[in-house]
Amino acid sequence: MKQCDGGTLRKNLGFLLGACARYDRKAFGLFAMYTVGCALQPLVSVFLPKVMVAGLEKGGALQPLMIWATGFAVCGMLLAAMQSYGQNMFLLSAINVRMRVAEELYVQLMTMDFQDTENPDVLRRVELGSEAFWGNQIGFEGVLHILFDNTGVVLSLLALSTMLSILHPLIVALILLGAALSFWLSRRARAFEDARQEDQAELNRKWDYLSRTAQDFSYGKDVRLYRMQNWVLNKYAQLMRAHDRLVRSFKRAHVPRVLTEGLFTLLREGVVYGYLIYLFLQGRLMLSDFAMYFAAVASFSAQLNLLLGEVARLPVELRKVDHARRFMQPEKKEISTQPAPQGDTLGVELDHVSFSYPGGREVLHDVSLSIRPGEKLAVVGLNGAGKTTLVKLLTRLYEPTGGSIAVGGVPAAQVEKKEYFRLFSALFQEVRVFAVSVAENVALQPADTLDRARVERCLRLAGLWDKIESLPGGMDAVLLKNVDLYGTELSGGQNQRLALARALYKDAPLVVLDEPTAALDPLAEADLYERFARLVEGRTAVFISHRLSSTRFCDRIILMEDGRIAEMGTHDELMALDGRYAQLFRVQAQYYQEEARKG
Amino acid sequence: MSVEMDKKRFGFAATARTFGYALGVIVRRQPLYLCFLLGAGLCKGLQPFIAVLLPKLVLEELSGAKDPARLLMLVLTAAGLSGLLYWLGGLLELRRDRENEKFDKLIERLLAQKTLTMDFPHLENPEVLTLIQQYRQGRMTNGGLSGAFGWALTSALPSLITMAGMAYLVLQLNVWVQLSILLTTTATLWTLYVSMDANNQMMLSCGDANRISSYFVSVTSDFANAKDLRLYQGEKLISSRIRGTVEDMFRAQSKGYRICTQCNVARAMLLQLQMVGIYAALTVQAVRNGMSVADYVMYTAAAVSFTNALITAAVAAVNFYGAIRLVNPLSEYMHLPAVLKQGAEPVPARQMEDALVFENVSFTYPRADAPVLRHLNLTLKKGERLAVVGENGAGKTTMIKLMLRLYDPDEGRILLNGRNVTTMTLDEYLEQFAVVFQDFKLLAFSVRENLCADEECERQRLDAVLKKLGLDETLSQYERGEDTSVYKLFDEKGVEFSGGERQKMAIARALYKDSPIVIMDEPTAALDPIAEEEIYRHMGGLVQGKTAVFISHRLSSCKFCDRVAVFENGRVTQCGPHEQLVHQDGLYRRMFEAQAQYYV
């Protein structure tokens, strides 16, 4: 396994311990405390019977025995307290560290290259890496706990094995052999499981999909109307059968281990008892030793099994940590050589730009385009013509695979992405609303850093202020029902106004509008168009639509077809050209024009 | 949500109900699970007896007759029994674990069944959504019901058996020893109780924090947000919320956690004290009254084993209770009552001229202030094509929901063929409708199954529908044809069909259903103008012989409809053919002109 080789192991442990050192140094003190308690405590339960029985055997007085007992009680309680306190406080510490590291992961998720959010390989790593933060026993915290818990166990095993070696080294050897065999067999069983990991992953994926879908309330209408219940439940039944078959084979793979462990239990008990009896009959052992050694053997083999079980889990959990680490510490770093261009109106140059998805076909071919500062450009075309890809390239959500883009004369690729993003205000068809206050939704900044007067001004300009003012809490009202169960849900048109306010608040020199009114009613659409005009006033703007109605207020129209610019010009020029654009326009206009002629 | 409500939801009575629900499921559907659970517990619970009894017998023999044959027999019997119990217990555990995984899936399936079949209004109730989220959260924390049974109960059962057996030996001891055991055990149980109480407080003080933080976490991994988060640099807003929620949670729980820690530390110390105490008390008894070493060894082992088992059982019981309690929302969810009116009469066979009538229907969504529909009157005539237009939020979609009996009207009634719809059985009633919803959903199974909404299909009907929409051509591009899966979510070899193709499938599904009334809610929103034009050109043929309702913002769709109903503030304000309405002063003309201005 790759994550077990020295270098990777060191990196992963460094990642874990580094996070502890960064976020919670107490953890190391707690570790020392727990380990001492854990290592020494078993000795109390081993030596206590010995001392007591020895005293009784000798028929001695009560008093020294009571003194011994007091000593044991004090030591035992002290060690137990150290162990328990260390463990409990570490639990908290580990959660704290995990949460902080998870937060780094979340930020990474929100800022990683947009293109990676559509890359299945990256998404897979994200999924596996996120698993590292899902709970107390797995991944990040799981490995921390395995390391934390077991160092003391190792120490106490060393002490016990020394003691048992004095009795007879072969007894230790027998127990170790049994444990090794059981470890080997459980690894084999796990290897059997690993070999079927693909089957399992497929089943899990299907199961996840099914339960997510069946539980998704937004499917409710279709499910009821088309009576899909039996269909879906049949799929459940099929998957349950397949899953049970898989589990059965997994459990069967553990049978040899169980049988071997039983055999070694039998051998251990027989040999140890037999040998102790033999020693006693030889007169080399006191009755008190008898009890002590027996307790020691039981404790030794129990702890050994526990340890090996944990050790077996380590690679599994470490693998998740490895995925997380590799996602969070990407190898490539961005180099920026140029500051972002300044100014309220910027021109854009696309120079022989083409784009293809990784390993996919080219979707944009050799597009050259020059947008003047302050120009309003409409991009039209059928679905799949490459309009949205063009916008994504312009905003650098995608990077071109050929050619280059320059904004305000500065090559885009040389500007730091974060700075580059500042240049754009964008509105998309689907508005993403978050369960935070209206004001925070507009500014997309925490409440303490945003400009409330500006939020209000933008909401007014977007035509949403009346609605917001009517909400209890005004611009502090929380949207959606995810956080506040009775939060406000805006309608489609209102959401689009919110997005407009967001764009106005940002007030960037370049504006991109990607079909923002496709789902709106005609009056809302007409009203929004007027407000967009305000947004793009004195700015450079690109307006995408497959409805041609919007092209009228643009200076120039480009028609895209199959990833190329097929036609370019003003509305009148394109109509005169009588090409694809004219055809599209007529299809949409026919109905309205008929009426106009008649009316 | 109120702490009071959570107190009740996570209280004892609700927990008992959840336990009853789980037990009922096991007994009725998976009795084998119970057998293996008990069997494995018994084997494990018996193991300590060997460790307690054998030393006594051996030591007795050693301090007495020292008969080698008898000693050998003892050792062999003990070792053999240990091995046997281990084998049996181990095998039963494997079987039990398999049943446990099955149980986990079974519960998920039952949950899905409830979601798929319960009355629709529950699905739009935020409280119900909260139930599901709380259940998911609890399941994540403790593994849900199968976690509770597979983990806590599994460790409680053997301890109970051990405890019961050892109690017999402990009862032979002198009263002082028993008293000291009683005292320390009581103290230990008390710490357990206090920490349980603190735990309870902690859970309640958490309130909604878990839900809220998991919402913000999901925002980061829902890449539909990716464009906006990057372009508007919203990462600080979201991550500060996650941090804030987590910190709130830590703060709210810090006191409870401190108490729990104190209790745990006290308990660990008490256990040590108890062990030494047992030895000391028995030593006193042995020295004062005389006791053989063999008996001493046995009784100390028995007493320690008894108290350990007792504490283990108590801890396990508390854990079991805690784990079950966390999934109380599940049983509450499973017991959600029916809220819709259900009749038993069949749908009238005779089709009337006024196919469907809304009579003075008013409706307000639960938990909303203002009505969405206000005294709505609307008649759908048999065989006609009705266009429904209006501004967003005017009540068009709500009207459809009432028509489909997803909700019952608050006032007024809806008649199908002259009969009040609430008198009819819901299943048969819904057979009358085929709907393409605005947010229609396809499942990630094969195209064929999607169109038929089942695994079985009627061949001829399917072929006809595929042909009508030109889907046969689309599908012929793929190797598996109509068996091609939609999306790659379930079947990795599935196909991500385009929005337009999916919309055609949704329309095809509605046509396959072949119901007398067809409803299309924005059926062409995802299509480009050419494809839209094509659909509308064929729409007449598609819905031939059926009664059809079209909801659309594109007024061009009104062109081929017989009548247009204009919705304004929850009622119909204009109704008539397009020709007539476009010349009337009113909303329709304003809307039409708003769209037309770009084209003339």
Side-chain angles (χ1 to χ4, degrees), chain A residues 9 12 51 83 85 139 167 181 206-207 210 217 222 255 370 384 447 457 467 469 521-522 531 595:
Chain A
L9 186 66
N12 286 330
V51 172
Q83 186 187 8
Y85 182 80
L167 183 66
L181 220 57
K206 291 186 169 177
W207 184 269
L210 206 54
F217 288 178
D222 289 278
V255 170
S370 161
R457 204 165 54 240
K467 167 73 186 173
E469 225 183 354
D521 68 66
R531 296 180 189 277
E595 288 307 324

Short mmCIF file of all heavy atoms in Angstrom, two decimals, chain A residues 9 12 51 83 85 139 167 181 206-207 210 217 222 255 370 384 447 457 467 469 521-522 531 595:
data_model
loop_
_atom_site.label_atom_id
_atom_site.label_comp_id
_atom_site.label_asym_id
_atom_site.label_seq_id
_atom_site.Cartn_x
_atom_site.Cartn_y
_atom_site.Cartn_z
N LEU A 9 4.04 8.10 4.73
CA LEU A 9 3.66 7.96 6.13
C LEU A 9 4.14 9.16 6.91
O LEU A 9 3.40 9.75 7.70
CB LEU A 9 4.26 6.67 6.71
CG LEU A 9 3.82 6.35 8.12
CD1 LEU A 9 2.33 6.02 8.13
CD2 LEU A 9 4.60 5.17 8.68
N ASN A 12 2.02 12.16 6.10
CA ASN A 12 0.69 12.12 6.71
C ASN A 12 0.74 12.35 8.21
O ASN A 12 -0.08 13.06 8.78
CB ASN A 12 0.00 10.79 6.41
CG ASN A 12 -0.46 10.73 4.97
OD1 ASN A 12 -0.78 11.76 4.38
ND2 ASN A 12 -0.46 9.55 4.39
N VAL A 51 -0.12 -10.38 45.81
CA VAL A 51 0.26 -9.93 47.15
C VAL A 51 -0.74 -10.45 48.19
O VAL A 51 -0.36 -10.96 49.25
CB VAL A 51 0.33 -8.39 47.19
CG1 VAL A 51 0.54 -7.90 48.62
CG2 VAL A 51 1.45 -7.90 46.30
N GLN A 83 -5.39 8.33 33.31
CA GLN A 83 -5.81 7.74 32.03
C GLN A 83 -7.14 8.34 31.58
O GLN A 83 -7.28 8.79 30.45
CB GLN A 83 -5.93 6.22 32.20
CG GLN A 83 -6.22 5.55 30.88
CD GLN A 83 -6.51 4.07 31.08
OE1 GLN A 83 -6.63 3.58 32.20
NE2 GLN A 83 -6.62 3.36 29.97
N TYR A 85 -8.79 11.08 32.60
CA TYR A 85 -8.79 12.51 32.34
C TYR A 85 -8.13 12.80 30.99
O TYR A 85 -8.66 13.54 30.15
CB TYR A 85 -8.07 13.27 33.46
CG TYR A 85 -8.07 14.76 33.26
CD1 TYR A 85 -9.19 15.51 33.59
CD2 TYR A 85 -6.96 15.42 32.73
CE1 TYR A 85 -9.21 16.88 33.38
CE2 TYR A 85 -6.97 16.78 32.52
CZ TYR A 85 -8.10 17.52 32.85
OH TYR A 85 -8.12 18.86 32.64
N GLY A 139 -10.85 8.31 9.84
CA GLY A 139 -10.00 9.28 9.17
C GLY A 139 -9.11 10.05 10.12
O GLY A 139 -8.41 9.46 10.95
N LEU A 167 8.51 -16.44 33.52
CA LEU A 167 7.82 -17.71 33.77
C LEU A 167 8.27 -18.74 32.75
O LEU A 167 8.77 -19.80 33.10
CB LEU A 167 6.30 -17.48 33.65
CG LEU A 167 5.42 -18.67 33.96
CD1 LEU A 167 5.53 -19.07 35.43
CD2 LEU A 167 3.97 -18.35 33.62
N LEU A 181 -1.01 -15.17 13.98
CA LEU A 181 -1.83 -15.96 13.08
C LEU A 181 -3.19 -15.30 12.87
O LEU A 181 -3.69 -15.19 11.75
CB LEU A 181 -2.02 -17.36 13.67
CG LEU A 181 -1.96 -18.51 12.67
CD1 LEU A 181 -0.65 -18.51 11.92
CD2 LEU A 181 -2.18 -19.84 13.40
N LYS A 206 -24.75 2.93 -5.69
CA LYS A 206 -26.14 2.75 -6.07
C LYS A 206 -27.06 2.96 -4.87
O LYS A 206 -28.11 3.60 -4.98
CB LYS A 206 -26.34 1.35 -6.64
CG LYS A 206 -25.67 1.18 -7.98
CD LYS A 206 -25.99 -0.14 -8.62
CE LYS A 206 -25.52 -0.12 -10.07
NZ LYS A 206 -25.73 -1.40 -10.74
N TRP A 207 -26.63 2.41 -3.75
CA TRP A 207 -27.44 2.56 -2.55
C TRP A 207 -27.58 4.03 -2.16
O TRP A 207 -28.66 4.51 -1.84
CB TRP A 207 -26.85 1.73 -1.40
CG TRP A 207 -27.70 1.78 -0.19
CD1 TRP A 207 -27.62 2.67 0.84
CD2 TRP A 207 -28.82 0.94 0.12
NE1 TRP A 207 -28.60 2.42 1.75
CE2 TRP A 207 -29.36 1.37 1.34
CE3 TRP A 207 -29.43 -0.16 -0.54
CZ2 TRP A 207 -30.46 0.75 1.93
CZ3 TRP A 207 -30.52 -0.76 0.06
CH2 TRP A 207 -31.02 -0.30 1.27
N LEU A 210 -29.91 5.76 -4.42
CA LEU A 210 -31.29 5.37 -4.18
C LEU A 210 -31.83 6.04 -2.92
O LEU A 210 -32.93 6.61 -2.92
CB LEU A 210 -31.34 3.84 -4.04
CG LEU A 210 -32.64 3.16 -4.39
CD1 LEU A 210 -33.08 3.53 -5.78
CD2 LEU A 210 -32.48 1.66 -4.27
N PHE A 217 -37.27 15.19 -1.06
CA PHE A 217 -38.68 15.55 -1.10
C PHE A 217 -39.07 16.16 -2.45
O PHE A 217 -40.24 16.18 -2.80
CB PHE A 217 -39.00 16.54 0.03
CG PHE A 217 -38.99 15.89 1.38
CD1 PHE A 217 -39.23 16.63 2.53
CD2 PHE A 217 -38.76 14.54 1.53
CE1 PHE A 217 -39.22 16.04 3.78
CE2 PHE A 217 -38.75 13.93 2.77
CZ PHE A 217 -38.98 14.69 3.90
N ASP A 222 -43.58 13.86 -8.66
CA ASP A 222 -43.48 12.88 -9.74
C ASP A 222 -43.74 11.47 -9.23
O ASP A 222 -44.41 10.68 -9.88
CB ASP A 222 -42.08 12.95 -10.37
CG ASP A 222 -41.89 14.22 -11.17
OD1 ASP A 222 -42.32 14.25 -12.32
OD2 ASP A 222 -41.33 15.18 -10.61
N VAL A 255 -14.33 -16.78 8.87
CA VAL A 255 -14.49 -18.04 9.59
C VAL A 255 -13.14 -18.68 9.98
O VAL A 255 -12.95 -19.06 11.14
CB VAL A 255 -15.39 -19.01 8.80
CG1 VAL A 255 -15.36 -20.40 9.41
CG2 VAL A 255 -16.81 -18.47 8.77
N SER A 370 -12.91 40.78 -30.23
CA SER A 370 -12.41 41.95 -29.52
C SER A 370 -13.61 42.74 -29.01
O SER A 370 -14.47 43.13 -29.79
CB SER A 370 -11.55 42.77 -30.48
OG SER A 370 -11.42 44.07 -29.99
N GLY A 384 -25.95 24.32 -26.47
CA GLY A 384 -24.80 23.52 -26.87
C GLY A 384 -23.91 24.18 -27.91
O GLY A 384 -22.99 23.56 -28.43
N ALA A 447 -21.59 39.85 8.11
CA ALA A 447 -22.34 41.06 8.45
C ALA A 447 -21.46 42.19 8.97
O ALA A 447 -21.73 43.37 8.71
CB ALA A 447 -23.40 40.72 9.49
N ARG A 457 -29.02 50.58 -1.07
CA ARG A 457 -29.04 51.26 -2.36
C ARG A 457 -29.17 50.24 -3.50
O ARG A 457 -29.97 50.39 -4.41
CB ARG A 457 -27.76 52.08 -2.51
CG ARG A 457 -27.88 53.25 -3.47
CD ARG A 457 -26.72 54.23 -3.32
NE ARG A 457 -25.42 53.61 -3.43
CZ ARG A 457 -24.48 53.60 -2.47
NH1 ARG A 457 -24.73 54.18 -1.31
NH2 ARG A 457 -23.31 53.03 -2.66
N LYS A 467 -39.97 44.71 -0.92
CA LYS A 467 -40.18 43.35 -0.39
C LYS A 467 -39.33 43.15 0.88
O LYS A 467 -39.81 42.68 1.90
CB LYS A 467 -39.81 42.33 -1.47
CG LYS A 467 -39.68 40.91 -0.99
CD LYS A 467 -41.03 40.29 -0.68
CE LYS A 467 -40.84 38.91 -0.06
NZ LYS A 467 -42.10 38.35 0.40
N GLU A 469 -38.01 45.34 2.86
CA GLU A 469 -38.44 46.20 3.96
C GLU A 469 -39.64 45.61 4.70
O GLU A 469 -39.81 45.80 5.90
CB GLU A 469 -38.80 47.59 3.41
CG GLU A 469 -38.24 48.71 4.24
CD GLU A 469 -38.69 50.06 3.71
OE1 GLU A 469 -39.31 50.09 2.64
OE2 GLU A 469 -38.40 51.05 4.39
N ASP A 521 -41.65 35.51 -15.61
CA ASP A 521 -42.83 35.86 -16.39
C ASP A 521 -42.53 37.14 -17.19
O ASP A 521 -41.59 37.87 -16.90
CB ASP A 521 -44.06 36.01 -15.47
CG ASP A 521 -43.94 37.20 -14.55
OD1 ASP A 521 -43.93 38.34 -15.04
OD2 ASP A 521 -43.85 36.99 -13.33
N PRO A 522 -43.34 37.41 -18.22
CA PRO A 522 -43.00 38.50 -19.16
C PRO A 522 -42.85 39.87 -18.50
O PRO A 522 -41.96 40.62 -18.86
CB PRO A 522 -44.19 38.51 -20.12
CG PRO A 522 -44.85 37.20 -19.97
CD PRO A 522 -44.55 36.69 -18.61
N ARG A 531 -33.65 47.30 -15.59
CA ARG A 531 -32.71 47.44 -14.48
C ARG A 531 -31.30 46.98 -14.86
O ARG A 531 -30.31 47.52 -14.39
CB ARG A 531 -33.21 46.69 -13.26
CG ARG A 531 -34.51 47.26 -12.75
CD ARG A 531 -35.01 46.53 -11.53
NE ARG A 531 -36.36 46.97 -11.21
CZ ARG A 531 -36.63 48.05 -10.50
NH1 ARG A 531 -35.64 48.81 -10.05
NH2 ARG A 531 -37.86 48.39 -10.25
N GLU A 595 -49.71 39.10 -34.65
CA GLU A 595 -50.65 39.90 -33.86
C GLU A 595 -50.52 41.37 -34.22
O GLU A 595 -51.49 42.08 -34.37
CB GLU A 595 -50.38 39.73 -32.37
CG GLU A 595 -50.78 38.39 -31.81
CD GLU A 595 -52.21 38.04 -32.14
OE1 GLU A 595 -53.06 38.94 -32.15
OE2 GLU A 595 -52.49 36.85 -32.40
#
